[in-house]
Amino acid sequence: TVRVRSFRRLRSPLMADSSLWGKLVVTNWSIASNERPCAASYALTGGQEVCGRTCTSSIRLSQSATWVSNRHFVIQRDAEGVRILDISQYGTWLNGSMLQPHRWKTIEFNDEIEVRAMKEGQLAGSVKFRLELPTQPLSTAPTQPLSTAPTPLERSMSSEMGSPKRQ
């Protein structure tokens, strides 16, 4: 029997935390409903992170994605390294190969994790993640999801610098 710690609070994706050790980046989302995941990147800060549809999942996917289990997979970082565990009814793929259910598998940074939607034996959609190292120093990790949009302060500074001064 495998024991998986449950989470009682939601965290914002990629939040500042002294134990930030990696992130899961959504690299592909293809499903007929075209509903997007809850975030583009998910911080990996604890010993164990659970991906699923429940509100207690630290890596939360949409409730309407019924092809995702409530608790689909677990990523764990411990003395043995980084490992993944498929706890779903539907399966989890690592670098294109289906994981054996309820068996820990060592994973590396830049590995691809996939949750697939199958319909009548055919691939009907999927969500893919890539395991990455944090890209920023821990003390300056963003407190909100990553975004390429400038902040209000950045917009005001660039407009002041780029526009001619009125006399």
Side-chain angles (χ1 to χ4, degrees), residues 29 37-38 42 51-53 59-63 65 68 115 127 129:
W29 180 270
C38 298
Y42 296 88
C51 176
R53 294 186 299 135
I59 305 163
R60 187 173 178 202
L61 300 179
S62 172
Q63 270 301 112
V68 175
V115 177
V127 60
F129 302 93

Side-chain angles (χ1 to χ4, degrees), residues 9-17 20 22-26 37-45 49 57-61 129 136 140-147:
R9 64 184 177 96
L10 283 177
R11 292 174 290 120
S12 66
L14 281 187
M15 58 190 261
D17 189 315
L20 179 67
K23 64 182 176 178
L24 274 185
V25 177
V26 177
C38 298
S41 298
Y42 296 88
L44 302 174
T45 58
E49 305 286 348
S57 295
S58 51
I59 305 163
R60 187 173 178 202
L61 300 179
F129 302 93
Q136 296 182 326
T140 60
T143 58
Q144 297 297 318
L146 292 178
S147 171

Side-chain angles (χ1 to χ4, degrees), residues 20-39:
L20 179 67
W21 59 268
K23 64 182 176 178
L24 274 185
V25 177
V26 177
T27 59
N28 187 30
W29 180 270
S30 60
I31 192 70
S33 70
N34 208 26
E35 188 169 336
R36 304 296 299 167
C38 298

Side-chain angles (χ1 to χ4, degrees), residues 23-27 110-113 128-132:
K23 64 182 176 178
L24 274 185
V25 177
V26 177
T27 59
N110 295 316
D111 278 353
E112 183 179 78
I113 300 164
K128 292 181 183 179
F129 302 93
R130 183 177 51 249
L131 177 63
E132 294 184 359

Side-chain angles (χ1 to χ4, degrees), residues 3-113:
R3 235 179 224 186
V4 177
R5 189 179 78 211
S6 64
F7 290 84
R8 305 230 188 275
R9 64 184 177 96
L10 283 177
R11 292 174 290 120
S12 66
L14 281 187
M15 58 190 261
D17 189 315
S18 62
S19 61
L20 179 67
W21 59 268
K23 64 182 176 178
L24 274 185
V25 177
V26 177
T27 59
N28 187 30
W29 180 270
S30 60
I31 192 70
S33 70
N34 208 26
E35 188 169 336
R36 304 296 299 167
C38 298
S41 298
Y42 296 88
L44 302 174
T45 58
Q48 275 187 356
E49 305 286 348
V50 177
C51 176
R53 294 186 299 135
T54 65
C55 62
T56 58
S57 295
S58 51
I59 305 163
R60 187 173 178 202
L61 300 179
S62 172
Q63 270 301 112
S64 65
T66 56
W67 46 275
V68 175
S69 294
N70 286 334
R71 294 165 48 91
H72 203 95
F73 66 82
V74 177
I75 290 185
Q76 175 174 298
R77 181 176 180 226
D78 57 23
E80 296 180 37
V82 181
R83 301 182 299 157
I84 188 168
L85 177 70
D86 175 26
I87 55 174
S88 72
Q89 298 176 2
Y90 309 108
T92 303
W93 283 257
L94 178 64
N95 299 323
S97 297
M98 189 174 189
L99 293 172
Q100 290 184 336
H102 304 283
R103 297 193 80 147
W104 287 103
K105 173 80 174 163
T106 301
I107 61 175
E108 304 291 330
F109 288 101
N110 295 316
D111 278 353
E112 183 179 78
I113 300 164

